[in-house]
Amino acid sequence: MTPGEAKPTAAPVRPKPGRRPKFDKAASTTWLLAALIGVGAGATWQLLRAQASPVQAASPTQLVVVDTSGRVMAVYPSLALNSASQAQLGTRVTLAPGRSRSAKASTRAS
Amino acid sequence: MTDQQTARSYRRLPGVHPRATTGSKTSLSFNAMGTTVVIEAQGHYGPAREMAAELRRLETGLTRFHESPVTQLNRAGKLSDPEPVLLEALAWAVEACRLSDGLVTPLIGRLLEWHGYRQSWTEGAGRGAGWEQGQGEQPAVPGISQLRLSPSEVVLPAGAAIDLGGTAKGWAVERVAAGRHDVIIDAGGDVLVDSRQATEVNLLGGAEEWHLTLPPGRWGVATSSVARRAWRGAHHLIDPRTGRPSESPWVQATVVGRSLKRAEVATKLLLFGAPVPAALQVERAWVVDRAGDVFEQDVRGVAHGAASSFVPAS
């Protein structure tokens, strides 16, 4: 705005009290469809992920257990896994990432 | 004897230090077999002290670095009326040699000396003087059938020398823990666990840290590495087939099994890249490559002589 130019005098337009805005049926339908498609795609993705982990067949003779980031956590011969009960799996020696604060010893080369 | 009295009595065992008393358990540490040994035992200091004294006694009788029956045997080539402990340790070494198809042999002594391993290992020792390779022809490693063992005499093959470094540590720890329960002996990373509860053991040496969970019971966890006890141009794991320090993709191997002395032999076989026989009773095994990545080796069901398969653990 240059010096001497008149200032705008128009006031902001406000809806008149007591009048409801017009319902836009087309826009609402579009948003609803978009939301439904999004929910459906998310559910499909979760189902696909669930099928891919945590256990997948690696070969006819081995099963590889991976975590959600794809790290291999354990490897079982398929026959052993088929015949293993939950109790048997609980008696297995396991390896997990990270140092344990409750470890009683450390194995290292000396 | 009270705990305080027993703790004071440690001062009469040079280099043995009480570490802690937690609840009904006691712990102590001391140097033996070229490493730091930690013993945690149920009850008062008595049982741990007895085990420490016995480990020291075994080391004294089996070392090739200080005057001992082994050094006498290596000097003279034979030894009359050997002590039962030496016979026992040699008997296990001979069995380990047979189980490993001659790869882990007590007759490696002269070759180890030739490569420079002539004195007791302490950290950084390999950088000092006296660790040079020998002059002259590289000594051969005789077959184990040439070693004669009997209660009245031990006779070495001509020119050979004994080294029990590949088998004696696990054997000694198992021997002192025999018949004892609720005990943990950490002999520089070779760990014997006897516990009624699940026990966690940290696995060190890889680029990342891991930990093992052992179910209740008695377990042996052994680790060997060619990155330790290494000096200029050589390390302690000599391949008797070539006479050279072993070469494989792996720098460290860790084995869990029901027997520590058998697990100890299995770690050497993994570092040699050799198959692990079922007689070594390996439960699970891991190897570390030069980049520090940890791989699991499935050794169950691997027939003697068959190729091994490796599965990355991360």
Side-chain angles (χ1 to χ4, degrees):
Chain A
M1 189 180 294
T2 57
E5 192 177 341
K7 290 182 179 176
T9 55
V13 179
R14 297 171 193 269
K16 290 182 178 174
R19 290 191 68 181
R20 294 172 59 190
K22 192 177 177 183
F23 178 67
D24 187 339
K25 191 184 288 182
S28 299
T29 307
T30 304
W31 278 111
L32 181 62
L33 278 173
L36 286 172
I37 289 169
V39 170
T44 307
W45 171 243
Q46 289 294 326
L47 277 172
L48 288 173
R49 279 187 62 190
Q51 284 177 350
S53 66
V55 178
Q56 67 183 34
S59 74
T61 56
Q62 281 188 325
L63 285 177
V64 180
V65 180
V66 298
D67 67 8
T68 51
S69 63
R71 284 186 174 186
V72 175
M73 304 304 290
V75 181
Y76 301 100
S78 56
L79 285 177
L81 187 71
N82 288 340
S83 59
S85 66
Q86 193 62 37
Q88 283 173 318
L89 290 175
T91 60
R92 273 182 59 83
V93 175
T94 58
L95 180 72
R99 181 189 284 248
S100 167
R101 286 187 175 183
S102 55
K104 296 289 185 183
S106 294
T107 184
R108 63 198 182 278
S110 64
Chain B
M1 186 182 285
T2 66
D3 275 2
Q4 284 178 336
Q5 286 171 323
T6 314
R8 276 198 296 273
S9 75
Y10 274 106
R11 298 187 185 108
R12 294 197 293 272
L13 270 181
V16 177
H17 309 287
R19 296 178 84 220
T21 304
T22 310
S24 59
K25 290 188 175 177
T26 53
S27 176
L28 59 87
S29 70
F30 56 99
N31 289 328
M33 297 178 285
T35 189
T36 302
V37 179
V38 179
I39 296 179
E40 182 182 299
Q42 194 73 23
H44 299 300
Y45 281 111
R49 181 176 184 270
E50 287 168 14
M51 287 186 272
E54 178 65 3
L55 269 177
R56 280 267 175 86
R57 189 178 75 85
L58 293 174
E59 181 195 24
T60 304
L62 301 175
T63 182
R64 69 177 172 91
F65 302 119
H66 308 289
E67 189 61 23
S68 74
V70 168
T71 56
Q72 293 168 26
L73 174 62
N74 286 344
R75 260 199 317 270
K78 62 181 179 180
L79 188 67
S80 298
D81 300 322
E83 289 184 23
V85 160
L86 176 60
L87 274 180
E88 223 181 290
L90 277 172
W92 165 241
V94 169
E95 187 182 346
C97 185
R98 294 198 170 116
L99 287 170
S100 64
D101 268 351
L103 290 177
V104 181
T105 172
L107 295 176
I108 200 78
R110 212 57 86 192
L111 193 53
L112 275 171
E113 291 171 0
W114 188 84
H115 278 287
Y117 197 173
R118 306 179 193 95
Q119 52 192 297
S120 182
W121 180 261
T122 52
E123 204 52 51
R127 291 190 288 273
W131 289 81
E132 295 81 15
Q133 196 177 73
Q135 303 294 317
E137 195 176 341
Q138 182 177 291
V141 180
I144 198 68
S145 60
Q146 297 178 52
L147 173 65
R148 283 174 28 213
L149 282 185
S150 77
S152 59
E153 195 176 45
V154 180
V155 182
L156 299 182
I162 291 286
D163 174 81
L164 295 170
T167 55
K169 192 161 67 170
W171 170 84
V173 170
E174 271 196 7
R175 194 176 191 279
V176 302
R180 297 181 187 271
H181 299 286
D182 290 315
V183 61
I184 297 174
I185 302 179
D186 179 351
D190 284 352
V191 183
L192 183 144
V193 173
D194 187 294
S195 175
R196 284 173 286 189
Q197 300 170 334
T199 305
E200 292 180 334
V201 175
N202 285 323
L203 171 58
L204 310 179
E208 296 175 29
E209 291 175 335
W210 299 76
H211 68 273
L212 299 161
T213 303
L214 309 173
R218 179 168 286 226
W219 297 97
V221 185
T223 295
S224 290
S225 168
V226 297
R228 305 292 295 269
R229 295 185 193 246
W231 54 99
R232 286 164 292 193
H235 56 73
H236 71 288
L237 193 64
I238 306 292
D239 189 334
R241 296 168 298 191
T242 62
R244 305 283 313 148
S246 73
E247 291 180 12
S248 85
W250 316 122
V251 295
Q252 180 174 303
T254 295
V255 169
V256 179
R258 290 293 183 177
S259 159
L260 178 61
K261 68 180 183 184
R262 290 171 190 270
E264 184 181 31
V265 174
T267 59
K268 271 86 179 172
L269 290 180
L270 292 177
L271 290 177
F272 282 131
V276 177
L280 292 180
Q281 302 169 2
V282 173
E283 184 76 11
R284 294 189 77 178
W286 295 271
V287 285
V288 179
D289 69 6
R290 291 180 195 287
D293 292 326
V294 179
F295 295 77
E296 173 160 19
Q297 182 177 16
D298 185 358
V299 292
R300 289 171 304 167
V302 175
H304 192 57
S308 302
S309 60
F310 293 94
V311 178
S314 64

